Amino acid sequence: MSAASASRFQAPIAAGIAFAAFGIFGTLPVLLGLAVALGLDQAATTSWIFAVSMGAGLATIPLVLAYREPYSIGWNLPAAVLLGAAGVRYPWPTLLGASAVAGVAIVVGSFVGLGGASLRLLPFPLVMAMFAGSILRLLTDAFAQLGTDPAIGGAAIGGYFATRLAFRDRVPAALGALVASLAATALLGKFPGDIPFVLSGPTFALPRFEIGAMTTLVVPLVLLVVGTGNVQAIGFLRGQGYRPPTERLTFTVGALTALNALFGASPSGMARVGAAIVGGPDPGPAERRWIASLIASVAFIAVAILAVPVASLALALPRALVTTVAGLAIANSLLEALRTVFTSDLLYSSFFALIIAFSPFAPLGLEAAFWSLVAGLVLAFLFERPALFAALRHTGDEEPRRAG
């Protein structure tokens, strides 16, 4: 390959690496922290990492090659957090059962236009309010570690802000938090010394199907996977001039979600931050941005193969490290969600949707995230009806325009 040809691909390759780095260092620690909080053993945690990473890579590659568009299929962080929060009431196999049913529901929905309807009928600010309230506690727990393990927690927080100050958006700030907290752990003599560097594969799980858990979790999981993932990612790609196959992408994430449950993993979904990285202007001309998705997919497959050392390291590290890094990793996602909430014409209803999602409010066994969306829609209809109808009219209506 000539130097001129190589330079043409530098931008998409760099963007693909950036998306992979965000997934590995920015969001994967959240899954590891949830696994620790749920009390999962090494085999279960390894299988979780393997399934979501391998699925993200293998599912994206054929779609990208077929359509030559930059897709960002990965793991749905809000849905994983929702399952983690529900772990105080349900065992992990029961949560997997609800996740599997949600995946099947998404697959069925893709045949009747669920993906397109979600772009038209779900007010984006309310979805973001539900998302923000659901993950807010994870970030507050990160700063709580300053009281329980100030050396490691402080190092993570310091590394996070130092990386942000030094590199801005060129390096994930969560990577700086991870490096600094690992260094502090090693200096304190708490770093594990026996990590098995072996290749890994999945293990089968046995989902348990309980009516109460399915009634509680299936609808919120579908809303999170389709609403907080696909709606944002597909909407962004449309704004960049692409014509993503909405229902095929919806089918894919639903099928992956159901398959993930069989290997003890959380739901799949389209990554909105990933869509911005690989589908925005930074990867270069629109016709070459799909290369960035391929690069990221290969990286995710590599992570899956190395799931054993990744999971072993996570389980052996001090809890303060995993909790702090996991909380800081979602800070930007939370900030973007809050920006949407507080700049929206649906400010009143979105604010209370956020508060309800953050609260332990769970009547009838339904999670707070579900009630936050219900309450938000009711409040919007009662107090912000013109803004609600405007949001419903304009969501997903933008005509695609090809980006240069």
Side-chain angles (χ1 to χ4, degrees), residues 69-96:
E69 291 186 342
Y71 304 137
S72 56
I73 297 174
W75 44 92
N76 187 282
L77 191 61
V81 172
L82 180 62
L83 289 179
V88 299
R89 286 201 296 276
Y90 302 109
W92 186 233
T94 300
L95 298 176
L96 294 177

Side-chain angles (χ1 to χ4, degrees), residues 31-52:
L31 301 187
L32 299 175
L34 291 173
V36 172
L38 288 164
L40 302 184
D41 60 19
Q42 178 178 321
T45 304
T46 297
S47 188
W48 188 349
I49 298 169
F50 181 95
V52 295

Side-chain angles (χ1 to χ4, degrees), residues 123-153:
F124 185 63
L126 294 183
V127 173
M128 285 294 92
M130 177 181 63
F131 173 44
S134 297
I135 68 173
L136 179 57
R137 195 173 305 278
L138 192 63
L139 184 56
T140 60
D141 285 346
F143 286 90
Q145 302 307 310
L146 291 173
T148 59
D149 196 336
I152 295 176

Side-chain angles (χ1 to χ4, degrees), residues 68-361:
R68 292 298 197 271
E69 291 186 342
Y71 304 137
S72 56
I73 297 174
W75 44 92
N76 187 282
L77 191 61
V81 172
L82 180 62
L83 289 179
V88 299
R89 286 201 296 276
Y90 302 109
W92 186 233
T94 300
L95 298 176
L96 294 177
S99 184
V101 173
V104 172
I106 294 170
V107 167
V108 173
S110 70
F111 291 107
V112 295
L114 174 64
S118 64
L119 287 167
R120 295 187 301 272
L121 302 178
L122 201 59
F124 185 63
L126 294 183
V127 173
M128 285 294 92
M130 177 181 63
F131 173 44
S134 297
I135 68 173
L136 179 57
R137 195 173 305 278
L138 192 63
L139 184 56
T140 60
D141 285 346
F143 286 90
Q145 302 307 310
L146 291 173
T148 59
D149 196 336
I152 295 176
I157 294 171
Y160 178 88
F161 289 113
T163 303
R164 173 70 175 171
L165 183 63
F167 299 101
R168 300 299 175 182
D169 295 325
R170 297 190 300 275
V171 176
L175 175 58
L178 179 62
V179 171
S181 57
L182 286 173
T185 300
L187 290 174
L188 293 172
K190 297 182 178 181
F191 197 87
D194 186 18
I195 301 298
F197 288 95
V198 297
L199 302 183
S200 63
T203 57
F204 285 103
L206 293 174
R208 185 183 306 158
F209 302 96
E210 295 183 4
I211 297 298
M214 289 189 292
T215 303
T216 298
L217 295 170
V218 168
V219 172
L221 286 173
V222 171
L223 292 174
L224 287 170
V225 170
V226 178
T228 67
N230 289 22
V231 165
Q232 299 168 77
I234 293 174
F236 177 80
L237 291 176
R238 284 185 174 187
Q240 290 294 303
Y242 296 103
R243 297 179 180 271
T246 301
E247 302 307 336
R248 183 162 295 185
L249 289 167
T250 302
F251 172 89
T252 300
V253 299
L256 275 178
T257 294
L259 185 63
N260 284 352
L262 299 180
F263 297 106
S266 56
S268 177
M270 294 191 69
R272 60 190 178 87
V273 176
I277 294 174
V278 301
D282 288 345
E287 64 271 14
R288 291 202 294 267
R289 295 176 192 173
W290 60 273
I291 298 171
S293 292
L294 288 185
I295 297 298
S297 299
V298 172
F300 290 143
I301 291 172
V303 169
I305 296 172
L306 297 173
V308 167
V310 171
S312 299
L313 183 62
L315 292 171
L317 289 172
R319 185 180 181 87
L321 185 154
V322 178
T323 301
T324 307
V325 174
L328 293 170
I330 55 92
N332 283 335
S333 296
L334 177 61
L335 182 60
E336 290 182 10
L338 292 174
R339 184 179 294 114
T340 298
V341 170
F342 292 116
T343 59
S344 166
D345 290 335
L346 293 172
L347 175 61
Y348 187 79
S349 54
S350 295
F351 172 74
F352 280 101
L354 185 155
I355 296 300
I356 293 171
F358 180 68
S359 75
F361 181 73

